[in-house]
Amino acid sequence: MASPRLGTFCCPTRDAATQLALGFQPRAFLALCLGSGALRLALGLLQLRPGRRPAGPGLDSASPPTSARIVRAAIACDLLGCLGIAVRSAVWLGFPSFVDDISAVNRTDVWPAVFCVGSALWIQLLYSACFWWLFCYAVDAYLVIQRSTGQSTILLYHLMAWGLAALLSVEGALMLYYPSMARCERGLEHAIPHYITTYLPLLLVLVGNPILFRRTVTAVASLLKGRQGIYTENERRMGAVIKTRFFKIMLVFIVCWFSNVINESLLIYLEMQPDINSTSLKQLRNAAKTTWFMMGILNPAQGFLLSLAFYGWTGCCLTLPGPSKEIQWDSMTTSAAEGAPPSPGGPHEPGKGPTPKKELPGGMHTSDEALSLLSEGSDGSTIEIHIASVSRGGKAVGSLPKVRGDL
């Protein structure tokens, strides 16, 4: 699992709270982390290149949208971070004496300390980058609806995710180990910057992503209503699919990482107490130990669960496709035409309908493409919406949503 305590464990003399967590059934905990990490890596091999259909017939499959690149980057960071957890756990399990060399007495061999600091920094960097990529996904989803994003935006996301992750990780490590590792046990105040740099991106996703997702869902509803001036059942389904995807993303993130927030809060509170082993703090100690083991299970599971939230079970390349059923929906323009009284000039020509009441700047094709990007990749247990814009004479006259779900 990913915790700033992995970095403080590298100090020769550890604080009481860190020793409480890392000293509780260490071999069982390392075996648990190794098993969950190995399982995540095995599942990651199956979902490394998810087999997805393109979001719409107008999108070039050779050039995936920005949202798809962000999701792949986040899952790749999670996979590499989980690899660091598995390697660290395997080394500590296989070579117990290697870990024992990290002590205040033995300072001759620097390799145990180098491995401890290097693996902790690797895990923090990759998971921090994963958090920043998830935040970039929420930002991009909102910008897509506002039509303020483009192909050059992915470069800014790369700079933001990798740059901020590297800056915070290196800064936290320097603040913790400066001027030397022999001084990094100076107390809670000395480790606070390291904890802040670790949990800042995590808390940003926990707080910022729901706000951005909510604003995006509201903008989607306004966009759907503005295209025809009405809010049909097809449009409600479209909005529900996007809202369900955002809910799944936040549910996975909260389930996998909220235990880290609880555990760190308990350990900091225990560290502030004069006697951590007092009888009155027994329940808090048990809660800290329980959440510590929960972190070992839930943190590595994030990548696989996120892949399910984005792609469903069909994201696994080896999954055999089940019987599927396609439901063709009439275009909103056609539906409006059917409900309208016949015009004096006779029936409309096939494929033509009344003039839309309201058309947003940029045309309906732009709004259809934005909605396609948001619903891209949703299949399996969720509904996938493909939107094809039909243009006649340079004028958008309708859209043909197709809903496809595996039965």
Side-chain angles (χ1 to χ4, degrees), residues 18 21 23 30 56-57 97 135 190-191 201 229-230 235 270 353 367 397:
T18 301
L30 291 174
S97 59
F135 180 72
H190 185 63
I230 56 177
E235 293 166 332
L270 290 173
S367 62
V397 298

Side-chain angles (χ1 to χ4, degrees), residues 323-381:
S324 61
K325 180 180 179 181
E326 292 189 4
I327 304 175
Q328 291 284 352
W329 297 87
D330 294 335
S331 66
M332 292 178 293
T333 309
T334 306
S335 300
E338 291 177 355
S343 61
H348 294 286
E349 294 181 13
K352 291 188 177 181
T355 304
K357 296 181 181 179
K358 182 179 180 183
E359 184 171 340
L360 295 178
M364 190 179 299
H365 176 74
T366 305
S367 62
D368 286 344
E369 183 179 358
L371 294 172
S372 299
L373 293 178
L374 287 182
S375 61
E376 185 266 341
S378 300
D379 54 10
S381 59

Side-chain angles (χ1 to χ4, degrees), residues 14 100 116 122 158 162 174 188 193 298 306:
R14 307 170 191 101
D100 295 337
C116 183
W122 172 271
H158 275 283
W162 293 110
L174 290 177
L188 179 62
L298 296 176
L306 275 180

Side-chain angles (χ1 to χ4, degrees), residues 27-267:
R27 296 192 65 82
F29 178 74
L30 291 174
L32 178 66
C33 291
L34 179 60
S36 57
L39 179 62
R40 167 66 185 103
L41 292 174
L43 294 173
L45 294 178
L46 299 179
Q47 296 190 317
L48 187 60
R49 294 296 296 267
R52 309 190 310 279
R53 292 180 295 272
L59 298 177
D60 186 7
S61 58
S63 178
T66 303
S67 59
R69 299 181 184 180
I70 293 175
V71 172
R72 291 178 183 178
I75 294 179
C77 289
D78 178 271
L79 193 65
L80 293 175
C82 194
L83 177 63
I85 293 177
V87 171
R88 181 184 175 110
S89 301
V91 170
W92 284 12
L93 271 177
F95 306 96
S97 59
F98 190 75
V99 184
D100 295 337
D101 289 340
I102 308 174
S103 63
V105 179
N106 185 5
R107 300 177 186 271
T108 57
D109 191 1
V110 298
W111 290 112
V114 170
F115 173 79
C116 183
V117 175
S119 59
L121 189 60
W122 172 271
I123 295 171
Q124 179 185 351
L125 173 65
L126 269 301
Y127 275 106
S128 180
C130 178
F131 299 153
W132 284 113
W133 277 117
L134 291 177
F135 180 72
C136 290
Y137 177 83
V139 173
D140 185 74
Y142 181 73
L143 293 181
V144 163
I145 291 298
Q146 300 297 326
R147 292 181 291 277
S148 302
T149 184
Q151 292 296 327
S152 61
T153 314
I154 188 65
L155 178 60
L156 298 178
Y157 292 153
H158 275 283
L159 295 175
M160 178 179 177
W162 293 110
L164 291 177
L167 177 64
L168 292 177
S169 299
V170 173
E171 181 183 0
L174 290 177
M175 294 292 292
L176 179 64
Y177 301 122
Y178 179 82
S180 65
M181 290 189 59
R183 301 282 302 278
C184 65
E185 71 278 1
R186 287 182 292 178
L188 179 62
E189 297 81 5
H190 185 63
I192 284 296
H194 176 60
Y195 297 157
I196 292 177
T197 56
T198 301
Y199 281 104
L200 179 62
L202 188 151
L203 294 177
L204 181 64
V205 175
L206 283 175
V207 177
N209 278 33
I211 297 176
L212 289 172
F213 285 158
R214 183 176 181 85
R215 293 176 65 90
T216 302
V217 170
T218 303
V220 166
S222 301
L223 183 64
L224 291 173
K225 291 177 183 178
R227 296 196 305 175
Q228 296 291 335
I230 56 177
Y231 201 37
T232 65
E233 181 64 25
N234 293 341
E235 293 166 332
R236 290 189 182 94
R237 287 178 177 269
M238 227 178 293
V241 167
I242 298 173
K243 187 175 182 179
T244 300
R245 161 175 280 198
F246 291 163
F247 173 78
K248 288 180 179 180
I249 295 171
M250 289 311 305
L251 179 63
V252 168
F253 194 83
I254 292 174
V255 167
C256 292
W257 293 103
F258 198 67
S259 58
N260 293 58
V261 179
I262 297 176
N263 178 265
E264 197 60 47
S265 301
L266 292 173
L267 291 179

